[in-house]
């Protein structure tokens, strides 16, 4: 089978129910009046009865409780649950309940009001997560809409369903949401327990007051940090790639200097520079990823031509055209759905973003070519530029998930057949960040260079389209791209704008068509 055929096969988003589950069992409808099988959890052959009430809305089966649960030793062997089975409510109130049976839940048996779905082959954790989310959805719940007294799912309705296929990116997003929800729930429970302990019998009011103030400090700090995430500027400053985050911080600094001489003009210039950096960084990512994937478009060819043979380098319009054209480039449809190029293709994909980009480009060009008297920049023009930048930054929120990694050291383990990578994560508005490490098992070997870690779990090389090195002028770790001025090959920093004669590997430029 060719790689294209394999991708087309794996990218099908629906699977027939019976290709995933070969058995659907109804819960055990035992006679409660027969007490002979009732036993305790420690008795020989004891099996826990799992009722609908034991399954939470979050898909978690309640931990066995020897005192509160029902146990029997006469449950039919054929109905005993196995790890990997999925339990689904057959009686539905609102959305259906569904849960994955784990080894820790056994021995157990599902009783009436539950279906047992037994996979034809073991499901990966990621695929099981997607199927559970689908079974708990309104789509499945709506199958019972015609019933008024008790809403029941029928076995025939289940078997007619089409289930979601494996999707690593979606599954990872669901896992992250579940982990975040659990963590927030734990924090809320901790805060509640702390508040309820104020008047414990063995605690004096003075001791309780001191404990609440001291212990509650972390809870209050968590709440403050969480509230900051509702501020889009905070997200850009702390979670976006370094060049964009730094340029945005400069905008905020200039805004806070209101009242100083030329403050409005300086803020206006910072906004336009931030917009150009956002587009430049995104376009350079696009070009590097497209080169890796063997994809091109007219705008990318024109950009390469400017560096290779032209007198001048790329500008705002070049970045804009690359981002506008990449979505329609030949070969894009063959990329996996989680490939970062799909996100980049959405940045200027609607009329509102196009208009904002066009307006910012016009303002940038007028300023660059001396057609504006900057000290007299009007408040309305500044606000218009601000609004356009905020719109584009919001459209580019996916960049917070595309991690920029500067790999500084690689150690190959021939026994494990993997690289141990030491790197800096260049996210947020400061280039001095902690050193981290991870293990990478391929495909392909890793070099000490700049990479993008995407939602597809891959490491994508960005060099020589983007390089990371100390600036000769300010000694700050910076991101550079190849540039041209009057036919001289330069390297220009995205984050602070310093440029000088190209110092990196020109042979690498030739290899990708930039020389």
């Amino acid at each position: 089978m060719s790689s294209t055929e394999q991708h087309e096969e794996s990218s099908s988003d629906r699977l027939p129910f019976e290709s995933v589950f070969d058995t659907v069992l109804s819960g055990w409808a035992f006679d409660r009046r027969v007490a002979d099988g009732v036993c305790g959890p420690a008795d020989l052959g004891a099996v826990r009865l799992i009722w609908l009430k034991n399954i939470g809305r979050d898909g978690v089966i309640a931990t066995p409780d020897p005192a509160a649960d029902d146990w029997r030793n006469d449950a039919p062997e054929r109905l005993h649950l196995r790890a990997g089975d999925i339990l689904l409510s057959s009686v539905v109130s609102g959305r259906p309940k569904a849960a994955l049976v784990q080894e820790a839940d056994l021995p157990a048996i599902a009783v009436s009001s539950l279906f047992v779905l037994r996979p034809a082959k073991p499901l990966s954790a990621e695929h099981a997560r997607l199927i559970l989310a689908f079974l708990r959805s309104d789509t499945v719940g709506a199958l019972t809409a015609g019933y008024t007294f008790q809403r029941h799912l029928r076995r025939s309705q289940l078997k007619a369903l089409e289930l979601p296929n494996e999707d690593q990116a979606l599954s990872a997003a669901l896992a992250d949401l579940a982990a975040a929800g659990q963590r927030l729930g734990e924090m809320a429970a901790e805060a509640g327990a702390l508040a309820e302990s104020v008047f414990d019998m063995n605690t004096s009011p003075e001791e309780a007051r001191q404990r609440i103030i001291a212990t509650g400090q972390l809870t209050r700090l968590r709440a403050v940090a969480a509230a900051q995430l509702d501020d889009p500027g905070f997200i850009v400053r702390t979670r976006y790639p370094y060049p964009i985050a730094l340029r945005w911080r400069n905008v905020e600094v200039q805004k806070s200097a209101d009242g100083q001489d030329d403050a409005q003009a300086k803020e206006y210039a910072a906004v336009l520079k931030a917009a150009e950096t956002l587009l430049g960084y995104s376009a350079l990512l696009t070009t590097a990823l497209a080169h890796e994937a063997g994809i091109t478009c007219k705008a990318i060819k024109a950009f390469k031509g400017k560096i290779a043979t032209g007198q001048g380098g790329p500008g705002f319009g070049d970045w804009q055209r690359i981002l506008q054209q990449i979505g329609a480039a030949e070969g894009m449809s063959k990329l996996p759905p989680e490939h970062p190029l799909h996100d980049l293709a959405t940045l200027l994909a609607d009329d509102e973003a196009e208009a904002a980009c066009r307006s910012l480009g016009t303002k940038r060009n007028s300023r660059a070519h001396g057609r504006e008297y900057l000290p007299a920049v009007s408040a309305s023009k500044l606000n218009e530029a601000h609004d356009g930048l905020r719109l584009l930054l919001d459209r580019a929120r996916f960049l917070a998930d595309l991690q920029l990694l500067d790999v500084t050291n690689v150690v190959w383990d021939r026994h494990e057949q993997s690289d141990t990578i030491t790197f800096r994560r260049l996210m947020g508005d400061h280039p001095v960040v902690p050193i981290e490490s991870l293990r990478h098992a391929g495909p392909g070997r890793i070099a000490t260079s700049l990479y993008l870690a995407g939602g597809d779990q891959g490491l994508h090389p960005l060099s020589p389209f983007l390089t990371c090195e100390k600036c000769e002028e300010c000694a700050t770790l910076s991101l550079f791209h190849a540039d041209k001025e009057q036919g001289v090959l330069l390297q220009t920093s995205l984050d602070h704008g310093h440029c000088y004669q190209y110092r990196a590997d020109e042979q690498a430029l030739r290899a990708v068509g930039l020389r």
Side-chain angles (χ1 to χ4, degrees):
M1 184 183 293
S2 71
S3 60
T4 301
E5 288 171 333
Q6 286 177 335
H7 171 64
E8 288 175 350
E9 180 180 292
S10 64
S11 63
S12 173
D13 60 354
R14 291 292 168 189
L15 293 171
F17 182 91
E18 291 184 313
S19 71
V20 179
F21 299 107
D22 61 358
T23 305
V24 178
L25 303 171
S26 296
W28 184 30
F30 66 99
D31 190 345
R32 298 192 189 191
R33 296 170 297 180
V34 177
D36 291 345
V38 176
C39 65
D43 293 341
L44 183 65
V47 174
R48 179 194 182 196
L49 304 188
I50 295 182
W51 301 80
L52 181 57
K53 66 182 181 181
N54 297 127
I55 299 176
R57 286 288 175 192
D58 57 359
V60 175
I61 298 174
T63 303
D65 184 341
D69 285 335
D70 299 312
W71 300 80
R72 295 185 72 100
N73 58 18
D74 59 345
E77 184 72 29
R78 66 182 182 84
L79 295 181
H80 283 206
L81 296 176
R82 304 174 188 171
D85 286 346
I86 287 181
L87 304 184
L88 175 66
S89 53
S90 60
V91 177
V92 179
S93 174
R95 291 187 174 200
K97 290 183 177 181
L100 180 68
V101 177
Q102 311 281 357
E103 286 286 353
D105 301 316
L106 303 178
I109 190 168
V111 299
S112 55
S113 74
L114 288 170
F115 283 122
V116 180
L117 314 183
R118 184 152 293 161
K121 60 181 181 180
L123 298 172
S124 68
E126 294 78 11
H127 197 192
R129 189 178 296 117
L130 287 184
I131 290 173
L132 285 167
F134 173 73
L135 293 174
R136 291 194 288 261
S137 70
D138 286 334
T139 300
V140 177
L143 298 176
T144 66
Y147 298 91
T148 55
F149 178 60
Q150 268 198 330
R151 299 169 59 193
H152 287 264
L153 276 172
R154 296 197 302 268
R155 193 189 305 248
S156 60
Q157 291 174 314
L158 283 179
K159 291 186 175 182
L161 288 173
E162 289 188 328
L163 302 174
N165 202 346
E166 293 192 73
D167 185 327
Q168 287 189 347
L170 178 56
S171 181
L174 289 174
D176 289 344
L177 280 175
Q182 181 179 355
R183 184 72 182 118
L184 291 172
E186 290 170 355
M187 291 180 186
E190 183 180 318
L194 185 61
E196 290 172 359
S197 70
V198 175
F199 298 110
D200 285 349
M201 291 180 63
N202 298 325
T203 304
S204 69
E206 293 78 11
E207 291 172 333
R209 177 180 179 276
Q210 185 60 37
R211 188 177 71 252
I212 292 295
I213 291 173
T215 310
Q217 184 180 45
L218 179 58
T219 300
R220 295 193 300 275
L221 289 174
R222 286 169 175 166
V224 170
Q228 286 181 306
L229 292 175
D230 289 328
D231 173 15
F234 177 81
I235 295 173
V236 175
R237 197 170 59 251
T238 60
R239 306 301 300 171
Y240 275 42
Y242 168 63
I244 299 168
L246 179 63
R247 290 291 190 184
W248 175 253
R249 189 185 73 183
N250 290 342
V251 170
E252 293 186 323
V253 167
Q254 295 302 331
K255 189 175 183 67
S256 66
D258 190 25
Q260 298 179 13
D261 291 342
D262 298 339
Q264 200 159 276
K266 291 177 180 177
E267 184 182 351
Y268 182 70
V271 168
L272 298 181
K273 205 62 192 174
E276 186 166 10
T277 299
L278 170 61
L279 290 187
Y281 176 82
S282 301
L284 288 162
L285 282 194
T286 298
T287 305
L289 293 166
H291 177 80
E292 180 193 32
I295 293 171
T296 192
C297 62
K298 286 178 63 177
I300 289 177
K301 291 176 181 176
F303 158 63
K304 290 182 176 181
K306 276 193 169 185
I307 301 297
T309 62
Q311 291 294 304
F316 197 102
D318 299 286
W319 306 139
Q320 180 179 349
R321 284 186 288 273
I322 289 172
L323 295 168
Q324 287 170 332
Q325 293 179 19
I326 192 61
E330 185 177 353
M332 282 288 291
S333 61
K334 295 180 182 179
L335 293 176
E338 64 274 11
H339 195 283
L341 270 179
H342 293 301
D343 287 324
L344 287 157
T346 66
L347 181 53
L348 301 182
D350 62 68
D351 293 341
E352 193 176 9
E354 284 271 14
C357 185
R358 189 165 52 251
S359 174
L360 286 164
T362 300
K363 291 178 174 62
R364 181 266 175 203
N365 291 336
S366 295
R367 175 179 175 271
H369 298 294
R371 293 192 290 268
E372 286 185 335
Y373 181 55
L374 285 183
V377 171
S378 67
S380 61
K381 181 171 284 190
L382 175 59
N383 289 336
E384 187 179 84
H386 253 298
D387 290 344
L389 175 60
R390 289 193 191 96
L391 175 71
L392 294 182
L393 286 170
D394 185 62
R395 291 288 197 279
R397 190 167 292 182
F398 59 84
L399 290 175
D401 291 326
L402 300 181
Q403 299 288 295
L404 185 61
L405 308 183
D406 176 30
V407 176
T408 57
N409 191 48
V410 181
V411 177
W412 172 251
D413 187 327
R414 63 185 180 86
H415 299 294
E416 296 289 336
Q417 292 291 295
S418 65
D419 289 312
T420 297
I421 301 166
T422 303
F423 64 94
R424 289 180 285 236
R425 196 184 304 268
L426 298 180
M427 306 296 287
D429 63 6
H430 204 286
V432 181
V433 293
I435 296 294
E436 302 179 59
S437 63
L438 60 80
R439 179 158 291 192
H440 181 265
R445 294 294 309 279
I446 298 298
T448 53
S449 185
L450 198 63
Y451 288 86
L452 188 75
D456 58 356
Q457 312 303 311
L459 289 180
H460 302 276
L462 301 180
S463 178
F465 301 98
L466 273 171
T467 59
C468 182
E469 54 197 276
K470 278 192 176 181
C471 176
E472 290 185 2
E473 294 194 20
C474 64
T476 302
L477 193 69
S478 305
L479 258 66
F480 289 90
H481 68 90
D483 204 350
K484 266 288 184 69
E485 184 176 356
Q486 296 180 350
V488 178
L489 183 64
L490 305 173
Q491 57 187 60
T492 298
S493 167
L494 276 176
D495 28 291
H496 50 61
H498 291 163
C499 67
Y500 43 81
Q501 194 165 346
Y502 197 79
R503 309 291 193 214
D505 185 3
E506 290 192 36
Q507 188 174 346
L509 293 184
R510 291 188 183 92
V512 300
L514 286 173
R515 195 76 174 119

